[in-house]
């Protein structure tokens, strides 16, 4: 075992070791190894910083992964055609000069001239075409190619011009798609056209042109970054020349290293308990930003109490049951007790921070100020003629949305039963079975969460409330459907925002789902770290380049 | 032969026939007999083990009376408990990250642990003794096959087996009985070879002895002879294996819970799960959520191990404390079982 | 002839793992079910051959394993063999430290305990030994971490080396997988110290567990040999008690210690799963729990098979060695 172990790990690192770039990293951090023994090495100077995370990387190839951990790395190292500047959820041209609809089905992007990859290759429209063609060709099951649902073909009239031919007209979402996980541009000389490219080949080929390039890479353990001066996009140059990203699996270890200074910035995901504890620690700063993750209860319109396939089917009563649930949930208590403020109450289907988000549920349900109201729920149920207590089978996943789900649903059960209006049977199932059961009408009401593909309100509406939807909960409302389809092609921003508001209003009456929590982005940094506030924005992209120390 | 006869072995079987001594029948019971036999340190250890185990069993049995709240209770008449509250008059051991009362969960957790121990020990004994009898009695290829399989399974790290079984039984989802069965059955599989070995060795030995023939001449049935003599002789070593079996069951259940294959908090209280959920608490200076379930595991396992350890000493003439060793007439074959010989527990 | 039993033993273990893993259904559904539409899932299952008769799959699994092919992980697409070799080294390193701790604590204290049999030092040591193996290794780890790294700050919290040390190693081209060897290769004493300080707590947590077993064993054997004529003869020759224990009594006790040390491999490996998880020691046990979280049963199957086989083979080697040392041991 010993010998083969040596061979195995040598192959893993051989490419990176000994390169000149690595020597540079060492010059930056080398001094630190003297105090490494005491475990407080850290970055040492403003030249370099250590970032800790519990993220997981599946692949550095944009065609081979579709998860937060991998995308977090891609945001540092690959350029995008469209990107969100610091502090905004809306997209602007990144390494492009301009991007616009030149006809209803043609979206034309002009690249800045003279762009180069970190390996010296030219970055041209040919790379861009290659990027999207290979996404569609590979269509890996773990990849994001499905986001290109509206892309027909890509044309390149010249070296700096790219024309995207779209299937449907005036797609207002497409610019957002270009900033999404399917959007990172890759080097056609390094990446394979028809297969997911190996991480090490990407690192060896230095196929980077984002704010940083990777100088050494050990999957899910340690990544060394170095600022790439050839990046000319909307985000500007990196503030800290060298970054080491350290991958943890145990959040409490990350917390302790953040506390003792071994890690300068801890981002994703410390436990609520840890974060609360760190808020009282002067040696670190806890920085909060809006988060894109939402948590909601989905109702199955066929099998919920008084649902269409029940013997006592009655749409009015069914709606009253959903509304009573919305009245009774104490969102603040959930946010505080279970998540210690790392989640915030959510009163709409589109989370706070995104363009077009409103809070219709706040006024319509509970005490009108966001709190629960038992009397209101009682009246709602009585008016509809519902006999109480209503028996509700409520299902949650014990392994997909983190270890606190058990606590979350125990508290929801408690809140609903406290009123005397509900009798809740709480059940849990592991995720694989859960996913099968929920679309097979097994669960009358169940927990789900959502993390957006791109920072647009549409991503919180289209997948959920059209006739054919991801929830498969048999919800149909033609008005809502029409409005959702309309906003997606409305170019006038003010008009679109108004439409989004109307959709949320209408949906708040129907309550196909009852949203209740929105995840906050929380970073913990050393007291001397600046810039965290700038990147903890509604783009949900954490850019290392915004961070500086001292 | 009925299974009743077999299961009675561990708890109330007759005293080993080679051991002399007079007195009331209960003095001959395993464990009771050994307490009398022991002196000094060994007696201290044995009694300490008995006391710890008795407390564990009593807490488990009387959990509904002892626990101030239910294991998944979040509020009482005065309102919600709140999460991670430090120990107070209402919550002696504080509350957990989920807002449960730690004391109540520790007490209810004893019940879950005891169930695992009972299922594990009962099924190991039934299967192990049965197979041992069959294997030793019939001999031949069946015997050889069973011995090889037993040796192989014996080498299987029990926690790994438990993980695999947890996946098979519950697919990772954890109802109360799913978690209990996963831990108990994996322990069963690993411990069956131990009972099997002891019983088989006895069978083989006795089969060769003259009195079996004489009994047969008298017309007594084979099985009757075998079970009677074998089981009598095995009572010397079986209580020892039972204690190891029990402590291993507790540790495996806790290990499963710690690895995230535990029982959901609303289904039952389980110490390993509570420990795992308290990892973040510990680094934030919240000590009460980890300490108490941890101590509960240690004390329960320690009670069993202390008993096993001292029983082992008493079964091994070399290790028996000198003062009384002379009282035991007739040299018993040194078939002491190593406590925790592989000890692949947590 | 007993030596030949290693073959059926391994065969039975490998078969048991296969049977259990397949009893749950196919690994692709387990890992990706719910994330992919059913038709895509079906394609993958078909491509991987999980829709063929179970016996065909079993035969393929056996032949693959014996040619060293454990398949490819589902969650991160790595050859399982690579996972085993890369992380096996880390586990081996931890196990070595732990055995060292166990020997250093277990043997001398076992001798003391045996010598002062049934007296106070014996009582205290035995209670401690029992405490050591009644304590789940993750609880011991938690307490060690809390006391020595959070409160006292003497040792790092987790991991095998600090970020700076790791970068220094990469620069030095040291990538043997054994951190201590790599640290020496950098030629920087600070890195060596760094590696050792990272190893201290996990080694103690895992070592304590084994130390309890060693102590017990050494004690038993001490008592056994102290009572034999060999020692009485030495004693009557006027050999001093201390020398008696050090020079004479422990030697015959050595063989069973080797035997039991070999048998501890199973315990060490399982202990390692929990220790590595607690301290983020990136070895096989750590990976196992990671793959369990990801429901990647191809990887789980590979790691479990390897661990079970390592245990079986070690037990077999111990038998052989014991037979070589002591010809009386016959099989």
């Amino acid at each position: 075992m010993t010998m083969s172990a040596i061979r195995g790990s040598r192959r893993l690192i051989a490419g990176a070791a000994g390169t000149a770039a690595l020597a540079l990293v060492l010059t930056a951090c080398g001094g630190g190894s003297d105090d490494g023994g005491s475990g407080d090495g850290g970055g040492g100077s403003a030249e370099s910083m250590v970032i800790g995370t519990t993220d997981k990387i599946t692949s550095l190839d944009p065609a081979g992964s579709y998860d937060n951990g991998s995308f977090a790395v891609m945001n540092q190292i690959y350029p995008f055609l469209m990107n969100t500047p610091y502090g905004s959820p809306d997209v602007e041209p990144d390494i492009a000069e301009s991007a616009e609809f030149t006809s209803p089905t043609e979206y034309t992007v002009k690249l800045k001239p003279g762009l180069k990859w970190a390996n010296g290759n030219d970055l041209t429209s040919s790379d861009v075409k290659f990027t999207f063609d290979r996404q569609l060709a590979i269509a890996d099951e773990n990849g994001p190619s499905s986001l290109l649902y509206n892309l027909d073909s890509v044309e390149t009239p010249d070296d700096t011009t790219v024309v995207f031919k779209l299937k449907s007209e005036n797609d207002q979402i497409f610019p957002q798609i270009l900033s999404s996980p399917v959007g990172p541009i890759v080097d056609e000389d390094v990446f394979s056209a028809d297969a997911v490219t190996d991480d090490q080949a990407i690192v060896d080929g230095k196929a980077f042109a984002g704010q940083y390039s990777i100088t050494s890479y050990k999957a899910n353990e340690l990544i060394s970054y170095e600022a790439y001066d050839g990046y000319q996009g909307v985000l500007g140059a990196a503030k800290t020349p060298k970054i080491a990203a350290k991958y943890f699996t145990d959040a409490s270890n990350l917390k302790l290293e953040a506390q003792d200074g071994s890690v300068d910035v801890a981002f994703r995901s410390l436990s609520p308990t840890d974060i609360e504890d760190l808020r009282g620690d002067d040696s670190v700063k806890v920085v909060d930003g809006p988060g894109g993750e939402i948590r909601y209860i989905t109702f199955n319109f066929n099998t919920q109490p008084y649902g269409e396939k029940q013997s006592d089917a009655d749409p009015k009563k069914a709606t009253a049951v959903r509304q009573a649930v919305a009245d009774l949930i104490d969102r603040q208590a959930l946010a505080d007790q279970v998540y210690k403020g790392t989640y915030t109450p959510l009163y709409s289907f589109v989370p706070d921070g995104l363009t077009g988000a409103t809070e219709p549920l706040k006024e319509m349900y509970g005490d009108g100020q966001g709190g629960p109201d038992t009397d209101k729920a009682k009246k709602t149920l009585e008016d509809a003629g519902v006999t109480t207590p209503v028996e509700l089978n409520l299902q949650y996943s014990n392994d997909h949305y983190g270890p606190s789900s058990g606590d979350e649903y125990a508290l929801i059960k408690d809140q609903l039963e406290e009123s005397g209006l509900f009798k809740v049977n709480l059940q849990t199932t592991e995720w694989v079975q859960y996913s099968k059961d929920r679309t097979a009408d097994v669960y009358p009401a169940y927990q789900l969460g959502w993390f957006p593909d791109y920072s647009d309100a549409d991503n919180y509406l289209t997948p959920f409330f059209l006739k054919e939807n991801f929830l498969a909960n048999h919800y149909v409302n033609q008005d809502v459907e029409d409005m959702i389809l309309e906003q997606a092609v409305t170019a006038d921003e003010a008009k679109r925002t108004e439409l989004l508001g109307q959709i949320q209003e209408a949906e708040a009456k129907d309550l196909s789902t009852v949203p209740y929590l929105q995840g906050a982005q929380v970073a913990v940094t050393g007291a001397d770290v600046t810039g965290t506030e700038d990147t903890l924005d509604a783009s949900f992209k954490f850019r290392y380049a915004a961070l500086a120390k001292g | 032969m009925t299974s009743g006869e077999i299961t009675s072995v561990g708890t109330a079987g007759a005293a080993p026939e080679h051991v002399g001594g007079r007195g009331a029948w209960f003095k001959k019971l395993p464990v009771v007999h050994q307490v009398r036999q022991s002196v000094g340190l060994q007696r201290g250890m044995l009694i300490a083990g008995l006391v710890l185990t008795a407390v564990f069993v009593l807490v488990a049995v009387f959990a509904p009376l002892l626990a101030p709240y239910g294991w998944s209770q979040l509020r009482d008449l005065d309102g919600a408990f709140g999460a991670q509250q430090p120990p107070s008059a209402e919550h002696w051991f504080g509350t957990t990250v989920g807002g449960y009362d730690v004391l109540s969960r520790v007490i209810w957790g004893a019940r879950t642990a005891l169930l695992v121990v009972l299922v594990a020990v009962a099924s190991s004994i039934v299967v192990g003794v049965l197979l041992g009898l069959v294997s030793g009695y019939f001999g031949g290829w069946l015997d050889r096959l069973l011995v090889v399989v037993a040796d192989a399974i014996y080498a299987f790290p029990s926690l790994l087996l438990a993980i695999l079984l947890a996946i098979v039984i519950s697919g990772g989802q954890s109802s109360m009985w799913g978690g209990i069965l996963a831990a108990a059955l994996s322990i069963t599989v690993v411990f069956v070879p131990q009972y099997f070995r002891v019983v088989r060795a006895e069978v083989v030995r006795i089969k060769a002895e003259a009195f079996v023939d004489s009994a047969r001449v008298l017309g007594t049935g084979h099985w009757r002879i075998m079970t009677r003599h074998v089981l009598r002789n095995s009572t010397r070593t079986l209580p020892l294996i039972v204690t190891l079996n029990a402590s291993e069951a507790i540790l495996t259940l806790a290990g499963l819970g710690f690895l995230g294959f535990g029982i959901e908090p609303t289904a039952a209280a389980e110490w390993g799960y509570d420990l795992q959920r308290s990892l973040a608490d510990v680094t934030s200076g919240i000590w009460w959520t980890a300490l108490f379930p941890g101590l509960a595991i240690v004390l329960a396992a320690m009670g069993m191990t202390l008993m096993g350890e001292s029983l082992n000493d008493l079964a091994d003439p070399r290790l028996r404390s000198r003062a009384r060793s002379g009282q035991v007439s007739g040299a018993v074959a040194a078939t002491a079982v190593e406590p925790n010989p592989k000890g692949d527990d947590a | 002839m007993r030596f030949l039993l290693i073959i059926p033993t391994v065969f039975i273990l490998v078969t048991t793992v296969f049977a259990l893993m397949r009893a749950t259904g196919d690994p692709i559904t387990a890992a990706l079910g719910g994330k992919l539409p059913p038709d895509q899932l079906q394609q993958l299952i078909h491509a991987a051959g999980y829709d063929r008769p179970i016996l065909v799959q079993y035969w393929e699994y056996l032949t693959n394993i014996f040619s060293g092919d454990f398949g490819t992980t589902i969650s991160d697409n790595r050859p399982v063999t690579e996972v085993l070799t890369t992380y096996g080294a880390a586990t081996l390193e931890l196990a070595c430290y732990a055995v060292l701790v166990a020997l250093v604590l277990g043997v001398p204290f076992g001798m003391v305990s045996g010598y002062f049999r049934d007296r106070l030092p014996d009582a205290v040591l035995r209670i401690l030994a029992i405490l050591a193996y009644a304590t789940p290794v993750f609880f011991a780890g938690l307490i060690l971490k809390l006391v020595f790294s959070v409160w006292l700050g003497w040792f790092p919290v987790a991991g095998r080396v600090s970020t700076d040390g790791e970068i220094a190693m990469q620069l030095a081209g040291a990538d043997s997988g054994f951190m201590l060897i790599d640290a020496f290769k950098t030629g920087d004493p600070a890195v060596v110290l760094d590696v050792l300080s990272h190893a201290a707590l996990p080694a103690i947590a895992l070592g304590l567990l084994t130390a309890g077993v060693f102590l017990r064993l050494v004690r038993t054997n001490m008592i056994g040999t102290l009572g034999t004529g060999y020692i009485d003869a030495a004693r009557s020759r006027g050999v001093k008690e201390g020398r008696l224990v050090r020079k004479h009594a422990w030697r015959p006790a050595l063989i069973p210690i080797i035997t039991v040390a070999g048998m501890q491999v199973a315990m060490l490996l399982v202990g390692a799963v929990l220790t590595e998880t607690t301290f983020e020691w990136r070895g096989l046990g750590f990976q196992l729990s990671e793959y369990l979280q990801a429901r990647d049963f191809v990887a789980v199957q590979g790691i479990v098979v390897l661990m079970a086989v390592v245990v079986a083979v070690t037990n077999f080697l111990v038998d052989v060695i014991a037979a070589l040392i002591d010809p009386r041991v016959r099989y």
Side-chain angles (χ1 to χ4, degrees), chain A residues 255 273 340 396 407 414, chain B residues 75 84 171 264 277 283-284:
Chain A
K255 183 246 179 184
T273 306
K340 317 260 186 278
Y396 73 96
D407 302 336
D414 185 68
Chain B
R75 68 172 77 222
Q84 296 168 326
E264 281 302 301
R277 295 288 283 119
T283 52
S284 298

Side-chain angles (χ1 to χ4, degrees), chain A residues 298-302 441 446 464 469 471-475 512-513:
Chain A
T298 304
F299 286 89
N300 185 305
F301 278 54
N302 278 1
D441 296 344
Y446 59 94
F464 298 97
N469 66 45
L471 302 172
N473 67 338
H474 312 291
Y475 167 73
S512 168
T513 67

Side-chain angles (χ1 to χ4, degrees), chain A residues 121-445:
Chain A
N121 295 345
D122 288 332
L123 197 175
T124 64
S125 59
S126 163
D127 288 309
V128 175
K129 178 174 166 54
F130 174 80
T131 297
F132 292 98
D133 285 351
R134 81 186 279 271
Q135 281 280 9
L136 291 172
I138 296 171
D140 191 86
E141 68 268 13
N142 289 320
S145 61
S146 56
L147 287 172
L148 295 176
Y149 56 90
N150 196 22
L151 179 64
D152 187 43
S153 64
V154 185
E155 282 173 15
T156 54
D158 63 57
D159 263 5
T160 55
T161 308
V162 187
V163 180
F164 292 96
K165 303 259 185 199
L166 304 182
K167 291 175 190 159
S168 66
E169 297 181 357
N170 287 323
D171 179 1
Q172 297 305 308
I173 311 303
F174 192 71
Q176 287 278 2
I177 298 276
L178 292 178
S179 78
S180 77
V182 81
I185 308 300
V186 300
D187 184 350
E188 59 184 332
D189 295 325
V190 174
F191 283 79
S192 156
D194 50 12
V196 173
T197 304
D198 187 48
D199 288 354
Q200 200 57 55
I202 298 170
V203 174
D204 292 347
K206 295 186 74 60
F208 309 117
Q211 287 167 298
Y212 283 100
S213 63
I214 292 178
T215 50
S216 85
Y217 179 79
K218 208 169 174 189
N220 289 322
E221 292 189 29
L222 184 67
I223 302 179
S224 305
Y225 295 93
E226 181 190 33
Y228 173 56
D229 52 15
Y231 172 74
Q232 301 173 27
V234 64
L235 295 165
K239 290 187 179 154
T240 303
K242 286 172 177 71
I243 299 277
K246 196 171 173 184
Y247 286 77
F248 291 76
T249 52
D250 181 351
S252 61
N253 289 336
L254 172 58
K255 183 246 179 184
L256 290 172
E257 296 213 354
Q259 215 164 8
D260 73 12
S262 305
V263 163
D264 296 309
V265 178
F267 179 66
R268 250 180 357 210
S269 298
L270 293 175
S271 75
T273 306
D274 286 339
I275 287 171
E276 191 179 51
D277 184 50
L278 290 172
R279 283 187 207 275
D281 187 333
D282 291 337
S283 65
V284 296
K285 287 192 290 190
V286 178
V287 186
D288 303 85
E293 191 186 356
I294 60 167
R295 216 53 78 71
Y296 52 93
I297 299 173
T298 304
F299 286 89
N300 185 305
F301 278 54
N302 278 1
T303 57
Q304 74 158 96
Y306 308 104
E308 280 157 39
K309 294 283 156 67
Q310 303 300 98
S311 53
D312 52 0
D314 183 339
K316 264 213 191 77
K317 288 183 180 177
T319 307
V321 167
R322 296 195 298 277
Q323 291 176 334
V325 169
D327 281 329
L328 289 172
I329 290 183
D330 186 346
R331 296 172 169 83
Q332 196 64 51
L334 283 167
D336 291 344
Q337 165 152 344
V338 180
Y339 291 103
K340 317 260 186 278
T342 58
Y343 278 71
T344 51
L346 174 64
Y347 298 102
S348 177
F349 307 89
V350 179
D352 190 32
L354 289 182
T355 307
T358 58
E359 291 194 328
L361 275 79
K362 198 169 191 169
E363 287 165 32
M364 289 168 70
Y365 299 105
D367 61 5
Q369 279 142 44
D373 189 338
T374 303
D375 295 336
K376 184 140 185 239
K378 200 171 185 175
K379 188 168 179 307
T380 307
L381 291 174
E382 271 172 9
D383 289 353
V386 175
T387 40
T388 54
V390 179
E391 193 160 321
L392 185 65
N393 291 319
L394 189 56
Q395 199 83 18
Y396 73 96
S397 156
N398 55 24
D399 56 353
H400 196 70
Y401 297 113
S404 296
S405 289
D407 302 336
E408 183 182 318
Y409 272 76
L411 194 57
I412 289 178
K413 170 184 157 89
D414 185 68
Q415 289 171 355
L416 294 178
E417 289 187 341
E418 169 70 7
S419 67
L421 301 174
F422 282 91
K423 165 88 188 68
V424 178
N425 301 317
L426 204 55
Q427 282 151 2
T428 177
T429 309
E430 55 83 34
W431 182 247
V432 177
Q433 192 62 36
Y434 194 85
S435 317
K436 286 184 205 149
D437 289 353
R438 72 169 186 84
T439 50
D441 296 344
V442 179
Y443 306 152

Side-chain angles (χ1 to χ4, degrees), chain C residues 29-46:
Chain C
T29 311
L32 302 174
K35 295 176 191 162
L36 292 181
D39 52 325
Q40 261 189 56
L41 205 62
Q42 212 49 50
Q43 275 173 25
L44 282 178
I45 291 171
H46 183 74

